[in-house]
Amino acid sequence: MSSEPVTSVPASSGPRPLKAADTTPERPWPVRHLAPKIADYIAKMPPVWVEGQVLNLKRWNTLYFLTLRDTDLDMSLSVTVPAASMRLIADKVSDGAHLVVHARPQFHAKKGTLTFAADDVRLVGLGELLARIEHLKGILGAEGLFEPARKRALPFLPRTVGLIVAQQGDAEHDVVSNARARWAAVEFEIRRVTVQGPRAVPEVSAAITELDADPRVDVIVVARGGGSFEDLLPFSNEALVRVAAACRTPLVSAIGHHLDTPLLDLVADFRASTPTDAAKRIVPDVSEERSRIAQARLRARAALTSRVQREQSGLEQLRSRPVLRNPVTLVDQHEHRVDALRQSGRRALHTGLVHGLAEVAGLAAQVRALSPAATLDRGYAVVQTTGGLVVRDPVEVATGDGLRVRVARGELTAAVTSA
């Protein structure tokens, strides 16, 4: 078995550096020199009022030892409290309680640890917590996180339900058993987390984020079987509420607390009164749906049958009419009229032609009687000059002028010998 070579650093025989910036690998500070400096620096810090949630509360002799944990982030401080300072509230303080302590930081050089020594401890009361929640409710409401318009509708039949429940409890059984009793094919993706105390906010938030990122999950249910106001404080935590508001998957809050409404109920897309109620909301009842389908089929069949019967009755009424029973009757009636009109039109046309021919013959006779040609036929002639003018008077021509003489059967040329 080989090991990495260890480079030895020769001990410095010179004076120790005065400042931390002057230290080098060859001239380091020993622990005994650094630890007191850290202790002196921290001792200069003034005492501070700090708030947090109690975790790992223990008593040893005249001291209480506890961890004061931040309610939003995973940060904590070790605090020691004299039993005398806890005397008035000792029976009310347990893990999960909210405390405000007045403490001074202390650095223990021997172990290199930092603790806070408290000299005054105050329990954050119910009224103060309610006031803070109402203030936070106003802020989040002003941002529009509780608006009905941003809430999404739950899917009618989710493929997979994301379920966030306690590691131990009845909420998981209530949701799963009731949902599968309604729709046996429903699938669950379950995340068992801490639902009260300091670890609730980060674990529930992480579970929501994880299920929201899973493309198979169609709806997320956060379920808990009720509890005291203090037990439900994590579900009014700003960090958790904002994670729920950012969730893209429809979220159901099934905290099951009727007296006070956690802020998670307001930001969720749907609030169920209990885990059992959530199971009834997220999946349909298969027996009820089958009954609805059967009723719909009966109504559709009845409507179709009624429509067919109504149309059939209408057809029978139409077919029973004479005109449809013997359609040629209507044609025959008009055929006689057409024949009569045709005969009448033929007679009128014949009469008009006869009268027209007689009138034309009469007019032709009149034209022939009045025509110059008829006069010429009787031996008369028309004398014209060569220019085509009719000669009516001898004075209109002179001796030697050429003439055109038109008779019934043609024309003659002549010349004037004397005038």
Side-chain angles (χ1 to χ4, degrees):
M1 179 177 179
S2 61
S3 60
E4 293 292 333
V6 179
T7 303
S8 61
V9 179
S12 174
S13 59
R16 181 180 299 143
L18 297 178
K19 297 181 180 180
D22 296 333
T23 58
T24 64
E26 292 77 20
R27 300 177 64 198
W29 276 354
V31 174
R32 65 179 179 275
H33 185 75
L34 176 60
K37 287 183 176 292
I38 296 175
D40 292 341
Y41 181 82
I42 292 177
K44 296 176 183 178
M45 294 178 61
V48 60
W49 286 99
V50 60
E51 178 190 353
Q53 198 171 22
V54 175
L55 188 66
N56 299 326
L57 178 65
K58 298 178 181 178
R59 178 175 180 174
W60 187 73
N61 291 337
T62 60
L63 288 178
Y64 280 92
F65 296 88
L66 58 93
T67 299
L68 200 63
R69 188 185 183 283
D70 188 83
T71 56
D72 293 338
L73 299 178
D74 190 13
M75 297 181 181
S76 59
L77 299 173
S78 297
V79 181
T80 59
V81 185
S85 300
M86 292 276 286
R87 179 173 53 85
L88 298 178
I89 61 172
D91 58 339
K92 301 177 182 178
V93 177
S94 60
D95 285 358
H98 285 250
L99 291 181
V100 175
V101 300
H102 186 259
R104 180 185 296 275
Q106 290 182 344
F107 181 77
H108 299 277
K110 185 175 181 180
K111 296 183 178 180
T113 58
L114 177 68
T115 61
F116 281 76
D119 55 19
D120 192 359
V121 180
R122 300 182 185 181
L123 183 66
V124 179
L126 182 61
E128 175 67 18
L129 293 175
L130 283 172
R132 294 181 184 181
I133 292 176
E134 284 299 318
H135 178 68
L136 177 60
K137 179 179 177 181
I139 294 175
L140 298 179
E143 295 180 13
L145 298 188
F146 305 146
E147 290 296 327
R150 63 172 299 277
K151 297 184 182 298
R152 287 149 300 208
L154 302 183
F156 171 71
L157 186 60
R159 295 169 298 176
T160 303
V161 177
L163 180 60
I164 302 173
V165 291
Q167 297 177 356
Q168 295 180 349
D170 297 330
E172 177 180 346
H173 176 268
D174 292 344
V175 174
V176 174
S177 61
N178 283 281
R180 286 181 173 162
R182 294 169 62 84
W183 196 274
V186 65
E187 298 290 336
F188 282 92
E189 189 67 25
I190 301 176
R191 296 294 181 272
R192 298 176 181 87
V193 298
T194 303
V195 294
Q196 69 182 60
R199 295 166 53 191
V201 172
E203 291 188 14
V204 175
S205 299
I208 292 176
T209 303
E210 182 180 354
L211 292 174
D212 186 35
D214 191 339
R216 299 172 303 156
V217 176
D218 295 325
V219 63
I220 299 173
V221 179
V222 181
R224 174 192 165 92
S228 65
F229 174 79
E230 291 80 1
D231 293 339
L232 299 181
L233 283 176
F235 298 99
S236 293
N237 182 275
E238 181 178 3
L240 176 57
V241 172
R242 291 191 180 277
V243 169
C247 181
R248 295 169 299 178
T249 306
L251 182 70
V252 177
S253 175
I255 308 303
H257 196 261
H258 301 282
L259 300 179
D260 302 294
T261 302
L263 298 186
L264 181 64
D265 285 352
L266 301 180
V267 77
D269 297 298
F270 183 83
R271 177 187 181 273
S273 58
T274 62
T276 301
D277 182 44
K280 295 179 180 179
R281 301 290 183 171
I282 59 177
V283 293
D285 188 347
V286 63
S287 59
E288 183 178 344
E289 295 303 319
R290 286 175 176 171
S291 176
R292 290 179 178 177
I293 292 174
Q295 292 176 4
R297 291 177 63 184
L298 289 175
R299 288 195 297 268
R301 183 181 291 110
L304 182 59
T305 302
S306 175
R307 180 64 179 270
V308 170
Q309 291 176 348
R310 185 168 62 252
E311 296 299 330
Q312 186 175 3
S313 175
L315 288 174
E316 290 176 353
Q317 290 179 4
L318 292 175
R319 292 173 60 186
S320 65
R321 296 179 180 179
V323 68
L324 292 180
R325 187 171 57 250
N326 186 13
V328 297
T329 301
L330 184 61
V331 177
D332 291 341
Q333 178 182 356
H334 292 283
E335 183 182 10
H336 298 304
R337 180 174 174 80
V338 170
D339 289 340
L341 291 174
R342 185 175 58 183
Q343 295 296 333
S344 176
R346 183 175 293 153
R347 288 192 299 271
L349 179 60
H350 179 72
T351 302
L353 290 174
V354 170
H355 287 294
L357 290 173
E359 185 176 358
V360 169
L363 291 175
Q366 292 178 9
V367 170
R368 284 193 298 270
L370 296 176
S371 172
T375 303
L376 294 178
D377 287 340
R378 292 197 300 270
Y380 291 91
V382 177
V383 180
Q384 295 174 311
T385 66
T386 56
L389 297 175
V390 176
V391 178
R392 295 180 178 86
D393 194 330
V395 297
E396 295 178 354
V397 296
T399 302
D401 288 344
L403 296 175
R404 294 169 54 195
V405 180
R406 183 177 180 184
V407 293
R409 300 290 185 269
E411 289 185 358
L412 300 173
T413 58
V416 178
T417 58
S418 64

